[in-house]
Amino acid sequence: MAEYKKHKNDNKEAGLPVRPETAVRKTDTLVYALGGLGEVGKNMYCYEHENEICIVDCGVLFPGDELLGIDYVIPDYHHLIRQDKKRKILVITHGHEDHIGGIPFLLRQVNIDAIYAPRFAKALIQKKLAEHKGLEKTKIIEIDSDYRIRTKYFTVGFFDTIHSIPDSLGVLITTPNGSIVHTGDFKFDLTPVGRNADYQKMAYIGALKPTLLMSDSTNAGVEDFSISEKDVSREIMGIMRNAKHRMIIATFASNVYRVGQIIEAALATGRKVAVFGRSMENVVDIARKMG
């Protein structure tokens, strides 16, 4: 406290404005995390200016062994509940549970104007909301890398990224105080399965010199490249050719390209496929319907 008073007096003597460092001016753009910061799960970031809040993602965290009897860990929504009079939109980067799993719980407590989600994530969210009575008619707008959202204070654009699920997007948010790049989860793969990242648009955004980068990439601190999905595909095919009997393969249901590679390798080696697990059945069904 004494140090703060000294700093305050120093400012006064120097003819500088005197105000606490934590004071928020009406013209400020606020950036804060309600989940996902320093943890793998319940990703939820908020960008606020005056009476508008742009929320990016709304996920869950799956509990560890220390949380017996707990199904999901969700962000604390009380700040958004207290800001009930402010207009809120929810932007989804991709369809993983740690980015969309908290949406039903959020919608029960907070008024959201609309959810903006890429194609595959939209289908997963619709399936999820259909299981929650009263949320089936939630407004979900499909977006892609060419889509623009314009509100009074925000302009939100998108760019294609590579992740272990189809239709993964990064986000560019332009505010009255500068621009913010929110990458969502991503990796770089020079020979991907499915659509490639839009490196040209990323380079263009970089040339614009954004004010803030919010980058989210698990294991980004590990040196060297990740294995390409094409290499994984060849490895799966080799294992299936050499295996003489029944195979059991475990993988994330949401890694649709990987599931597709497994099924294609099974068909190429004359195997029958049985899909087990509620999430796996749901995702495979949605992926087949969407081509």
Side-chain angles (χ1 to χ4, degrees):
M1 188 68 179
E3 288 181 1
Y4 165 67
K5 284 181 179 177
K6 184 176 183 300
H7 172 71
K8 185 176 179 180
N9 290 334
D10 287 347
N11 275 5
K12 189 173 182 179
E13 290 170 9
L16 298 173
V18 178
R19 65 183 181 90
E21 292 182 358
T22 54
V24 177
R25 293 169 298 186
K26 185 180 179 182
T27 55
D28 286 343
T29 300
L30 309 182
V31 179
Y32 48 91
L34 296 184
L37 191 63
E39 60 187 350
V40 181
K42 62 181 171 70
N43 294 279
M44 189 173 188
Y45 291 83
C46 298
Y47 304 93
E48 179 178 338
H49 192 94
E50 291 201 18
N51 67 333
E52 292 184 346
I53 303 176
C54 174
I55 305 165
V56 178
D57 292 330
C58 181
V60 296
L61 173 70
F62 293 105
D65 295 337
E66 73 282 1
L67 294 173
L68 295 175
I70 303 297
D71 295 323
Y72 302 112
V73 181
I74 63 174
D76 185 345
Y77 304 130
H78 280 92
H79 172 73
L80 296 178
I81 295 170
R82 288 193 294 269
Q83 304 297 324
D84 191 49
K85 293 183 179 179
K86 296 191 177 185
R87 183 191 178 195
K88 303 171 194 69
I89 60 171
L90 174 60
V91 175
I92 301 298
T93 58
H94 64 282
H96 279 159
E97 281 295 299
D98 61 332
H99 291 257
I100 68 169
I103 292 176
F105 308 104
L106 176 70
L107 294 177
R108 295 281 187 206
Q109 302 178 70
V110 179
N111 292 320
I112 301 292
D113 280 16
I115 299 173
Y116 297 86
R119 182 169 174 254
F120 194 70
K122 178 185 176 183
L124 293 173
I125 295 168
Q126 287 174 325
K127 177 77 174 176
K128 184 182 297 293
L129 296 185
E131 299 170 359
H132 292 261
K133 190 174 181 180
L135 301 181
E136 311 93 331
K137 296 181 179 179
T138 300
K139 185 179 181 181
I140 307 175
I141 298 170
E142 185 177 315
I143 60 175
D144 58 21
S145 58
D146 295 322
Y147 198 90
R148 293 290 179 274
I149 304 169
R150 288 184 174 87
T151 67
K152 184 177 179 180
Y153 297 111
F154 297 113
T155 300
V156 186
F158 304 92
F159 55 93
D160 290 320
T161 59
I162 299 172
H163 193 33
S164 56
I165 190 169
D167 301 330
S168 181
L169 296 173
V171 186
L172 173 64
I173 305 171
T174 303
T175 79
N177 290 305
S179 58
I180 302 164
V181 174
H182 185 117
T183 65
D185 287 340
F186 73 97
K187 75 174 210 175
F188 292 122
D189 186 343
L190 301 180
T191 56
V193 174
R195 186 166 50 198
N196 207 337
D198 193 338
Y199 299 109
Q200 187 172 358
K201 187 179 280 189
M202 290 182 194
Y204 175 74
I205 291 171
L208 296 176
K209 300 186 183 304
T211 313
L212 175 65
L213 172 65
M214 305 283 283
S215 183
D216 187 1
S217 180
T218 307
N219 294 325
V222 179
E223 291 187 10
D224 218 336
F225 272 80
S226 302
I227 298 171
S228 172
E229 279 300 308
K230 289 285 177 68
D231 294 334
V232 175
S233 182
R234 284 191 287 270
E235 192 70 20
I236 292 171
M237 183 68 77
I239 292 170
M240 285 210 182
R241 283 203 179 105
N242 295 326
K244 293 183 173 64
H245 304 293
R246 178 183 301 164
M247 291 182 64
I248 299 174
I249 301 179
T251 185
F252 288 109
S254 58
N255 194 340
V256 177
Y257 293 131
R258 184 73 53 80
V259 175
Q261 290 167 349
I262 293 166
I263 293 172
E264 287 168 6
L267 295 174
T269 55
R271 294 177 179 272
K272 293 181 179 179
V273 179
V275 178
F276 287 95
R278 182 167 173 265
S279 292
M280 186 67 79
E281 290 173 8
N282 285 340
V283 169
V284 168
D285 182 53
I286 291 171
R288 290 180 69 186
K289 287 177 180 176
M290 299 183 74

